[in-house]
Amino acid sequence: MAIKTVICIGMAGSGKTTFMQRLNSHLHAAKEPPYVINLDPAVLRVPYGANIDIRDSVKYKKVMENYNLGPNGSIVTSLNLFSTKIDQVIKLVENKRDKYEHCIIDTPGQIECFVWSASGSIITESFASTFPTVIAYIVDTPRNSSPSTFMSNMLYACSILYKTKLPMIVVFNKTDVCKADFARKWMTDFEAFQEALREDQELNGESGMGSGYMGSLVNSMSLMLEEFYSQLDMVGVSSYTGEGFDDFLNAVDNKVVEYESYYKAERERILKEKEEREKAEKEKSLEHLMKDLGIKEKVGLEKTSNDDADVLSDLEEGENDGIILRDEEEGIDREYTFAGDERLTGEINSRDTPDLQRRYEEALQKVAKSASSETAENIAKYIRQ
């Protein structure tokens, strides 16, 4: 059975690590202990036991010192270093598929360091291509009681959804402080959100061109996100009391079914298209190479009367007025080979320069030796005369 993978993403201060701790203890209480991975290299202590911890592989402070980086740059670099071994991480998780049902992953609080970095994409793609993967976007409920702040968070969630292309659950955390009923209402009732936005503007005494523009923008955004809300599961939880975690696990099960029925098929289609595109580019590159080498039988070119005299300009003349579209302009990076010389059967590039230089020197010495011996023979003949 495949392990259900939950990647926890959220703004700094949203309660992500506490959510991870409560989810871990909740699953342990249900006799279903999860496989836990920590990807935050800068955290001092985590309130849960991690099966895989990035801090065991990468030392955050050493990265800062060695590369002269700041905090965020060091987090990104640490994730880059860790992502080079992601195949080993996936293999470790795969070996535990019979023992664990869930794999939960904690990410750095600096959300942009993970979501918008190359390493974050590599890690997410690696898990998503191997296991049913769900994104849990953690939201600080008390801080999102303002309509404008709520809309900003939803836009960020929307960008993450389209960046990862994975099923997403919006988790409104800290419901023991502030209930998340208002958020559910705003996500399902456009008019209720408009009314809340007007009340917020009146309460704060906002007026004038700026506030009117912002109100119009937020209204437009809420209307645009209506379709986005329909693709989301919204859950309210309290990491402090443990309330709502059964609902969260039910939402994960629903999203796993959605992953299998829709996202997995879509990902396979995208990968197939990418493979076909790369295959077409390789065939096009090979065709250009065979044209350069004068191999016409395989590329359908007409033979000329003198095959040995064919040059590139002769083959292309009249076809496109001698203007050759170079491989560099097509984004194809390949190294050319030389044909007709048995000694040069490999690729000729900068790595072969010493070998070619040696051949040139040997040939030069051979010519010089031959010339000197011929000169000596001529001098001896002259003396004999």
Side-chain angles (χ1 to χ4, degrees), residues 192-212:
F193 180 79
Q194 281 186 318
E195 181 64 27
L197 183 61
R198 282 194 296 269
E199 291 177 357
D200 183 66
Q201 289 177 342
E202 292 173 1
L203 182 64
N204 294 322
E206 294 180 358
S207 60
M209 188 76 74
S211 62

Side-chain angles (χ1 to χ4, degrees), residues 133-349:
T133 304
V134 177
I135 302 295
Y137 182 68
I138 315 299
V139 177
D140 187 342
T141 308
R143 291 185 181 178
N144 283 269
S145 56
S146 167
S148 56
T149 308
F150 172 82
M151 181 54 56
S152 300
N153 235 310
M154 291 301 101
L155 287 172
Y156 213 117
C158 180
S159 65
I160 293 172
L161 174 67
Y162 287 102
K163 176 70 167 62
T164 60
K165 297 181 177 63
L166 290 170
M168 175 182 285
I169 303 171
V170 177
V171 182
F172 283 89
N173 196 14
K174 307 181 183 179
T175 55
D176 56 295
V177 178
C178 177
K179 294 294 182 182
D181 297 336
F182 72 90
R184 191 184 301 274
K185 188 176 182 180
W186 289 350
M187 292 173 69
T188 55
D189 190 343
F190 173 70
E191 294 182 356
F193 180 79
Q194 281 186 318
E195 181 64 27
L197 183 61
R198 282 194 296 269
E199 291 177 357
D200 183 66
Q201 289 177 342
E202 292 173 1
L203 182 64
N204 294 322
E206 294 180 358
S207 60
M209 188 76 74
S211 62
Y213 171 77
M214 285 302 299
S216 175
L217 177 62
V218 173
N219 273 326
S220 301
M221 292 293 103
S222 63
L223 187 62
M224 181 199 71
L225 291 178
E226 190 173 359
E227 180 65 24
F228 166 67
Y229 293 148
S230 65
Q231 305 298 321
L232 295 178
D233 278 8
M234 177 265 185
V235 178
V237 303
S238 171
S239 299
Y240 181 72
T241 64
E243 178 188 359
F245 276 84
D246 286 328
D247 295 336
F248 173 75
L249 291 175
N250 291 333
V252 169
D253 292 337
N254 293 335
K255 287 300 181 181
V256 166
V257 173
E258 184 179 323
Y259 171 90
E260 296 288 350
S261 59
Y262 175 72
Y263 283 87
K264 186 178 180 181
E266 182 68 12
R267 291 176 69 82
E268 289 175 352
R269 182 188 66 80
I270 292 173
L271 290 174
K272 185 177 180 181
E273 287 182 356
K274 182 179 179 182
E275 183 180 350
E276 291 176 352
R277 187 166 57 249
E278 290 177 350
K279 183 179 179 182
E281 289 178 356
K282 287 180 180 178
E283 290 177 353
K284 194 173 182 180
S285 176
L286 180 62
E287 182 178 345
H288 276 284
L289 177 60
M290 288 191 293
K291 281 183 178 181
D292 291 347
L293 299 180
I295 305 174
K296 297 174 288 299
E297 290 81 358
K298 294 185 179 181
V299 295
L301 296 175
E302 295 181 3
K303 290 186 178 181
T304 58
S305 57
N306 185 4
D307 289 341
D308 295 334
D310 284 344
V311 294
L312 190 59
S313 59
D314 294 334
L315 296 176
E316 300 291 344
E317 187 65 25
E319 183 177 335
N320 53 15
D321 298 329
I323 301 175
I324 313 301
L325 183 63
R326 303 312 306 164
D327 293 336
E328 291 78 11
E329 298 175 20
E330 300 177 337
I332 300 172
D333 181 18
R334 68 175 160 83
E335 298 175 283
Y336 291 86
T337 58
F338 290 81
D341 191 342
E342 295 179 355
R343 297 174 301 168
L344 304 179
T345 55
E347 295 178 337
I348 304 304
N349 48 51

Side-chain angles (χ1 to χ4, degrees), residues 19-36:
F19 173 83
M20 281 280 296
Q21 185 270 334
R22 177 59 70 173
L23 179 60
N24 181 41
S25 61
H26 187 84
L27 289 170
H28 271 280
K31 307 299 181 185
E32 298 177 359
Y35 196 85
V36 185

